[in-house]
Amino acid sequence: MNITKPFASTLDLIGNTPLVLLGGPSEEAGCEIWGKCEFANPGSSVKDRAALYIIRDAEQRGELKPGGTVVEGTAGNTGIGIALVANALGYKTVIVMPDNQSKEKMDTLRALGAELVLVPPTKFANPGHFVHTSRRLAEETEGAVWANQFDNIANRKAHIEGTAPELWEQLEGRIDGFTCAAGTGGTIAGVGMGLKAFDENVCIALTDPHGAALYNYYAHGELKAEGTSVAEGIGQGRITANLDGAPIDTQFRISDEEGLHWVARLLKEEGLCLGLSSGINVAGAIALGRQLVAEGRKNVRVATILCDTGFRYLSTLYNADWLSSKDLPVFPWLRDAAGRSD
Ligand code: PMP
């Protein structure tokens, strides 16, 4: 039996996530495709790892003291991770988010006890942007620190010291490729650096959604976006501090339709309910697997990240009306449930 030892602290529940062989994707790629189950973290996403490292780093630097406050500008998984870790360590959480975000997200953050500050959505250059507002709030609040997930490299350290060694051990030191998409870039850069330290020959690929600028940057040296995507949590337009120096060997661009195809198949064929970034990652992993097989590597093994639970997207990805409103294909079983014929 493969069961972990009991833990002395709830924070130990973060990381050490299971790794699972994905049947359909492996068959499609003609090699092994493995998924790291980050939805199994307490906050149901990969961002619990970064939240824990960012908070521990602020403590070690002496910036975060007992009873202090963690402030971040985020609408999603990072806020949830920070709120949970802060609760476990006795800190307060303030989350700044644009007021056009889903009610589910606001309700979730409030339910976890975070203080929510809503600001109108604006361009990044506007000082009222939620990221700048969160930095200012942190500066103005006594005993507060700004998590700054994009440019705080404690984020990628969580993956250098956690995710990468876990993958190496789980695959018994035999891994040919790793790929995932970038939001802050902490995961791709950290896992890439961590795996390369074990074996230079592991191929690290960036999987970019449409609407992001990194595919063009790594392929042609220019930050340039094309198209759009509804995927949440991924899609970056600049080289963040976390991405700086990331060992990217190759890159793929994956459409929402292709990502959704895999979200649907993973649900129906493997019994995994995931968010769209996971579907995009799996499509990228298949592309990488095929490329490595074509290059003549034998018994190829590729790993990717299953970033968060699909239960977070019941009113979007798993809702027929929402999918239709975005001109995206509706999963057949949702169409049937809604009595639709389109
Ligand atoms: N998928 C989801 C659902 C996310 O919330 C995030 C975090 N923004 C990512 C992927 C990307 O992770 P990272 O920030 O480490 O690049």
Side-chain angles (χ1 to χ4, degrees):
M1 188 149 76
N2 181 8
I3 186 140
T4 52
K5 288 203 259 338
F7 295 119
S9 152
T10 50
L11 291 175
D12 295 334
L13 296 172
I14 295 174
N16 279 315
T17 52
L19 184 70
V20 68
L21 184 64
L22 301 172
S26 298
E27 204 175 300
E28 193 87 8
C31 67
E32 291 176 19
I33 305 290
W34 293 83
K36 188 93 168 115
C37 300
E38 292 303 302
F39 57 83
N41 281 302
S44 306
S45 94
V46 65
K47 296 306 298 204
D48 285 10
R49 293 180 186 264
L52 179 59
Y53 262 67
I54 286 171
I55 289 177
R56 287 296 194 205
D57 175 68
E59 288 176 330
Q60 275 153 23
R61 284 187 290 107
E63 280 187 22
L64 187 58
K65 303 214 168 60
T69 302
V70 185
V71 185
E72 182 63 319
T74 160
N77 288 324
T78 306
I80 291 167
I82 288 175
L84 291 176
V85 172
N87 284 353
L89 292 170
Y91 301 118
K92 295 185 276 293
T93 306
V94 177
I95 300 295
V96 185
M97 64 192 268
D99 60 14
N100 61 349
Q101 297 297 295
S102 76
K103 184 173 173 308
E104 284 153 302
K105 283 183 178 168
M106 296 183 193
D107 288 347
T108 304
L109 286 163
R110 284 197 189 103
L112 300 180
E115 185 189 325
L116 271 195
V117 177
L118 299 177
V119 295
T122 73
K123 290 212 167 70
F124 190 75
N126 185 320
H129 187 271
F130 67 96
V131 169
H132 309 312
T133 308
S134 68
R135 179 180 28 81
R136 263 197 319 277
L137 258 182
E139 284 162 7
E140 290 162 7
T141 308
E142 181 73 28
V145 294
W146 184 42
N148 187 20
Q149 58 167 332
F150 290 94
D151 297 308
N152 180 346
I153 58 167
N155 170 356
R156 76 181 183 195
K157 201 170 169 203
H159 300 286
I160 296 173
E161 295 182 356
T163 321
E166 288 170 30
L167 278 169
W168 186 254
E169 199 180 316
Q170 286 169 315
L171 291 172
E172 295 169 328
R174 205 173 65 65
I175 172 167
D176 297 280
F178 173 83
T179 188
C180 70
T184 62
T187 311
I188 183 73
V191 176
M193 289 167 160
L195 287 178
K196 291 270 190 194
F198 288 111
D199 180 358
E200 262 295 316
N201 296 317
V202 182
C203 181
I204 306 298
L206 173 86
T207 291
D208 223 21
H210 286 218
L214 298 180
Y215 174 87
N216 257 307
Y217 177 79
Y218 290 112
H220 310 297
E222 189 192 356
L223 280 165
K224 198 169 122 218
E226 275 163 46
T228 58
S229 169
V230 299
E232 295 185 29
I234 55 172
Q236 184 50 256
R238 69 182 175 96
I239 301 301
T240 61
N242 279 291
L243 278 169
D244 192 21
I248 308 294
D249 297 306
T250 187
Q251 56 285 319
F252 302 99
R253 186 188 273 142
I254 302 290
S255 69
D256 283 356
E257 283 78 4
E258 207 179 336
L260 273 171
H261 169 84
W262 283 107
V263 167
R265 285 192 57 181
L266 290 166
L267 181 52
K268 273 300 200 190
E269 296 169 17
E270 326 260 340
L272 286 175
C273 182
L274 302 164
L276 181 50
S277 68
S278 302
I280 288 175
N281 282 354
V282 167
I286 294 167
L288 175 59
R290 284 188 181 138
Q291 183 171 307
L292 295 175
V293 170
E295 283 170 9
R297 291 206 200 195
K298 299 283 174 241
N299 305 315
V300 169
R301 281 182 155 175
V302 170
T304 190
I305 303 287
L306 306 179
C307 314
D308 70 352
T309 173
F311 300 146
R312 202 149 274 163
Y313 306 100
L314 294 183
S315 69
T316 56
L317 289 184
Y318 295 92
N319 180 293
D321 290 335
W322 186 89
L323 286 166
S324 305
S325 76
K326 302 286 177 197
D327 283 330
L328 290 167
V330 177
F331 304 152
W333 60 93
L334 290 181
R335 214 160 46 208
D336 298 346
R340 303 161 72 102
S341 55
D342 55 337

